[in-house]
């Protein structure tokens, strides 16, 4: 049964939408690594006078074990010093109720539910229970895979706990078909569907996690602004080359200042922008072809089953389907005879939604 249309009672003065119409800018390091790194990054970002929220990774939800998972609660006092020295509002990602409690104890202003939390209704409800009775602003990342119902459901659960200062983060999606261009597949259409369902809800774009590399930060940010986004998130580190996570998508604060100015003035990087638009169109075409292939396979299975019902012999429909699936797999995933099969390492995949 289809659920009734949701209406989000947004806070009168949202933390994630500027009355001036200018985008809310959130920036900070992918991971808080040391007190010095956090404070230096924050001071330089404060000098930009554009970034209104400082966000740093304290707990890092990782796909595989033995990857850097953040410094944990040890880093929260570092963020408190940022607030004392700059007055900037603070944001961190949380994955469970315990982390939410720790963040509130250390005066973190904004909590962000990461994409792995969004797919887990139980985790969302537990975090919402911790926040009940507070006015804590909450940002909800899209689920790791494009399920609009799960995304909307997270907002419904938070609203039922009395939370109204809510916003969405479009961060892109993980999947089996990893795109060469982006770290996370943008699938802008899912973000647009959310805005259609919940027009009163502010929506921000995590430019860094969609882009995955510095060269794509401008075209991804520009695409988001063209679609009417309410804010942008960027990852910034005083020394990206030595960062413990996401080196390729982080900018030095000075570089971020130049990027923000370019986005303000709508500088056109025609070649890069055209490449992004072309590859977006190709991605949509591939998805359409995949759907058509599945429909044809299902139809063929039905016809083969009807033929076998006459008992005329030959291979069973299951064997025929298995053979066709093997042929289809070999076409979609060719293996170079020189390289042979490819194995994965135990390192954290850069394309995973982290």
């Amino acid at each position: 049964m289809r659920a009734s249309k949701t209406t989000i009672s947004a806070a009168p003065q949202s933390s994630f939408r500027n009355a001036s119409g200018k985008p809310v800018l959130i920036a900070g390091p992918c991971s808080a690594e040391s007190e010095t790194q956090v404070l230096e990054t924050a001071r330089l970002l404060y000098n930009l006078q554009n970034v209104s929220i400082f966000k740093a990774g304290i707990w890092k939800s990782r796909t595989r074990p033995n990857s850097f998972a953040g410094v944990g609660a040890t880093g929260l006092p570092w963020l408190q010093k940022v607030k004392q020295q700059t007055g900037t509002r603070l944001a961190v990602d949380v994955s469970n109720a315990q982390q939410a409690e720790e963040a509130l104890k250390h005066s973190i202003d904004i909590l962000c539910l990461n994409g792995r939390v969004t797919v887990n209704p139980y985790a969302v409800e537990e975090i919402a229970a911790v926040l009940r009775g507070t006015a804590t602003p909450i940002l909800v990342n899209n689920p790791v895979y494009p399920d609009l119902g799960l995304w909307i459901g997270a907002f419904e659960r938070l609203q039922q706990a009395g939370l109204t200062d809510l916003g969405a983060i479009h961060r892109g999606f993980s999947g089996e078909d990893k795109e060469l261009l982006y770290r996370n597949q943008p699938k802008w259409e899912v973000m647009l569907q959310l805005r259609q369902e919940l027009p009163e809800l502010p929506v921000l774009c995590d430019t860094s996690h969609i882009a995955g590399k510095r060269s794509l930060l401008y075209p991804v940010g520009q695409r988001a602004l063209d679609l009417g986004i309410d804010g942008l998130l960027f990852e910034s580190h005083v020394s990206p080359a030595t960062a413990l996570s996401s080196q390729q998508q982080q900018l030095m604060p000075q570089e971020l200042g130049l990027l923000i100015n370019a986005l303000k003035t709508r500088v056109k990087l025609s070649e890069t922008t055209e490449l992004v638009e072309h590859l977006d169109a190709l991605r949509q075409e591939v998805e359409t072809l995949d759907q058509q292939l599945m429909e044809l396979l299902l139809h063929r299975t039905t016809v083969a089953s009807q033929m076998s019902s006459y008992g005329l012999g030959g291979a069973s429909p299951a064997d025929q389907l298995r053979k066709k699936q093997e042929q289809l797999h070999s076409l979609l995933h060719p293996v170079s005879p020189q390289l042979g099969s490819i194995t994965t390492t135990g390192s954290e995949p850069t394309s995973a939604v982290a």
Side-chain angles (χ1 to χ4, degrees):
M1 185 175 76
R2 178 178 171 80
S4 59
K5 185 175 177 62
T6 301
T7 299
I8 296 295
S9 300
Q13 293 183 332
S14 173
S15 297
F16 313 116
R17 182 177 282 148
N18 282 327
S20 65
K22 294 181 180 179
V24 173
L25 297 179
I26 301 175
C30 175
S31 300
E33 300 165 0
S34 69
E35 182 175 322
T36 300
Q37 170 246 1
V38 167
L39 292 176
E40 186 176 351
T41 303
R43 282 194 292 266
L44 290 170
L45 290 174
Y46 177 73
N47 291 335
L48 295 181
Q49 298 181 340
N50 287 300
V51 176
S52 59
I53 299 170
F54 181 80
K55 182 176 183 289
I58 297 295
W59 300 279
K60 306 297 294 181
S61 177
R62 293 306 191 191
T63 302
R64 306 285 289 276
N66 304 319
S67 300
F68 176 62
V71 297
T74 300
L76 292 173
W78 307 342
L79 298 186
Q80 285 183 302
K81 289 187 178 181
V82 168
K83 194 171 186 178
Q84 293 166 2
Q85 294 182 13
T86 67
T88 306
R89 288 186 298 168
L90 306 173
V92 299
D93 287 330
V94 295
S95 298
N96 55 47
Q98 181 181 356
Q99 292 175 3
E101 288 179 337
E102 285 288 337
L104 292 181
K105 287 178 184 177
H106 288 82
S107 304
I108 301 300
D109 301 285
I110 299 166
L111 302 187
C112 307
L113 308 191
N114 70 42
R116 291 187 170 102
V117 174
T118 311
V119 301
N120 186 343
Y122 293 109
V124 175
E125 288 183 350
E126 290 171 359
I127 293 172
V130 169
L131 301 177
R132 185 181 295 274
T134 74
T136 307
I138 308 294
L139 285 168
V140 181
N141 281 278
N142 61 252
V144 291
Y145 50 85
D147 188 317
L148 187 62
L150 283 172
W151 206 359
I152 293 175
F155 291 110
E156 292 173 330
R157 289 179 168 84
L158 293 168
Q159 182 172 249
Q160 288 175 0
L163 300 161
T164 60
D165 197 354
L166 305 175
I169 298 178
H170 175 55
R171 177 182 170 104
F173 303 92
S174 183
E176 294 183 359
D177 297 326
K178 303 298 183 185
E179 295 195 50
L180 298 178
L181 181 64
Y182 302 107
R183 174 174 179 174
N184 294 332
Q185 301 171 25
K187 293 185 180 290
W188 299 105
E189 62 274 14
V190 180
M191 182 269 289
L192 292 174
Q193 289 171 2
L194 178 73
R195 290 180 62 189
Q196 184 177 4
E197 290 287 327
L198 305 176
E200 64 279 9
L201 186 73
V203 182
L204 293 77
C205 176
D206 187 337
T207 311
S208 296
H209 276 88
I210 290 178
K213 54 179 72 74
R214 299 181 191 93
S215 61
L216 290 178
L217 289 172
Y218 177 84
V220 170
Q222 192 61 69
R223 173 66 64 85
L225 291 175
D226 290 343
L227 293 174
I229 212 78
D230 294 291
L232 297 170
L233 287 82
F234 297 100
E235 290 189 337
S236 181
H237 191 294
V238 288
S239 178
T242 62
L244 298 180
S245 58
S246 301
Q247 295 180 359
Q248 298 301 317
Q249 66 193 43
Q250 299 198 68
L251 294 174
M252 295 176 63
Q254 301 91 323
E255 295 172 323
L256 179 57
L258 295 173
L259 175 61
I260 291 172
N261 286 331
L263 289 169
K264 277 184 177 180
T265 56
R266 300 297 180 105
V267 174
K268 293 297 182 184
L269 305 178
S270 58
E271 292 183 2
T272 304
T273 303
E274 289 172 4
L275 173 63
V276 170
E277 292 174 349
H278 180 58
L279 288 173
D280 278 347
L282 289 176
R283 175 187 62 81
Q284 292 177 3
E285 185 176 353
V286 167
E287 290 183 352
T288 300
L289 291 171
D290 286 345
Q291 181 63 33
Q292 292 173 349
L293 282 171
M294 290 302 299
E295 291 174 356
L296 284 171
L297 281 173
L298 290 172
H299 181 63
R300 185 190 184 283
T301 302
T302 301
V303 173
S305 296
Q306 292 174 350
M307 292 174 62
S308 65
S309 67
Y310 289 97
L312 298 178
S316 69
D319 291 336
Q320 294 176 4
L321 178 60
R322 190 179 303 111
K323 181 178 179 181
K324 293 299 179 184
Q325 287 175 332
E326 290 173 355
Q327 292 173 346
L328 180 61
H329 185 274
S330 66
L331 289 172
L332 294 176
H333 305 281
V335 178
S336 169
Q338 290 81 14
L339 296 179
S341 61
I342 299 174
T343 58
T344 58
T345 66
S347 61
E348 179 70 11
T350 58
S351 57
V353 178

